[in-house]
Amino acid sequence: MGTETSNIVILTGAGVSAESGIDTFRAAGGLWEQHRVEDVATPEAFERDPELVLRFYDMRREAIQTKQPNAAHLALARLDREWSAQPGRSVLIVTQNVDDLHERAGAENVLHMHGTHLNAWCTACDARPGWTGPLIHRPPCPECDSPALRPDIVWFGEMPYRMDEIYAALGRADLFVSIGTSGAVYPAAGLVRQARDLGARTLELNLERSQGSRWFHETRLGPATKVVSEWVD
Ligand SMILES: CC(C)NC(=O)[C@H](Cc1c[nH]c2ccccc12)NC(=O)[C@H](CCCC/N=C(/NCCC(=O)O)S[C@H]1O[C@H](COP(=O)(O)OP(=O)(O)OC[C@H]2O[C@@H](n3cnc4c(N)ncnc43)[C@H](O)[C@@H]2O)[C@@H](O)[C@H]1O)NC(=O)OCc1ccccc1
């Protein structure tokens, strides 16, 4: 990292968890091949067929709990710990992923802009209880007892979480790094342009060039476990 770098914002996508055995979305056989997005990841789909949607997320919640952080998660956690400990320096990991592998690797400054599989969300009382079991049987909300729990996940057409904090961090960033994302989903895919327009240096670490590659000052191609560890060390 150059001497001029103080505040780093890191955007991660499904590619950072691919080598932990978690399916990405768009790759062959990826999640979106097995299920049409609009059938499982929209409020309309939940309205239309809650069982199908809850089974989809129960399956993913169960799968995620059997996976382990990989070398990319561990390298980012190390960077977060060591860099944020220095005066006037900060790291924020903004993830599109709903898995908790960044946190299980030891990272502390993690912001889940599309939600997390570790919580449920009660649409009756707005509570967001920690939740690791299935939701398919419509269990009662631990706060208000109503059977109104849904995954605490941002579906298409819904506003991502904590966008104001993300934009504020971009305003302070000297360096914006994007890891393991195809740049296909907004507003996440638009963050690189905002960061660049705000004066940050932009770096892409990905298996292949993404839809937003042209907005990066530099692109390094390869599996995350290799390119992220090389970048951090
Ligand atoms: C499809 C797309 C065109 N549609 C959208 O972007 C929509 C609509 C839209 C909004 N603005 C626009 C502007 C233009 C066009 C469309 C839109 N956006 C929305 O609906 C957003 C909400 C989007 C969030 C949806 N939820 C997710 N996830 C949670 C659910 C779940 O997980 O089930 S999105 C989900 O898909 C996206 C998947 O992308 P990636 O993570 O990048 O994964 P992908 O498989 O695509 O790519 C993997 C990459 O990794 C690389 N890779 C693979 N293996 C490795 C490896 N080993 N190492 C390194 N890299 C690797 C591959 O090469 C590849 O590049 C992620 O964001 C992920 O979170 N909401 C909203 O706009 O609300 C409105 C609003 C505004 C104001 C007020 C109220 C409402």
Side-chain angles (χ1 to χ4, degrees), residues 28-50:
L31 281 170
W32 294 154
E33 270 212 351
Q34 299 151 34
H35 309 272
R36 277 170 357 110
V37 177
E38 48 282 14
D39 292 343
V40 289
T42 63
E44 297 76 19
F46 188 60
E47 200 58 43
R48 195 173 49 239
D49 188 345

Side-chain angles (χ1 to χ4, degrees), residues 12-16 18-19 24-27 31-32 40-41 56-57 60 96-98 114-115 153-160 179-188 205-210 222-225 227:
T12 66
V16 81
E19 294 161 87
T24 63
F25 289 75
R26 280 172 185 74
L31 281 170
W32 294 154
V40 289
F56 172 67
Y57 284 100
R60 288 175 62 194
Q96 300 167 77
N97 302 341
V98 298
H114 293 164
I153 284 181
V154 176
W155 285 327
F156 286 88
E158 295 182 326
M159 189 61 183
I179 302 172
T181 185
S182 59
V185 172
Y186 288 79
L205 306 176
N206 216 48
L207 200 58
E208 61 202 342
R209 301 185 75 81
S210 69
T225 53
V227 288

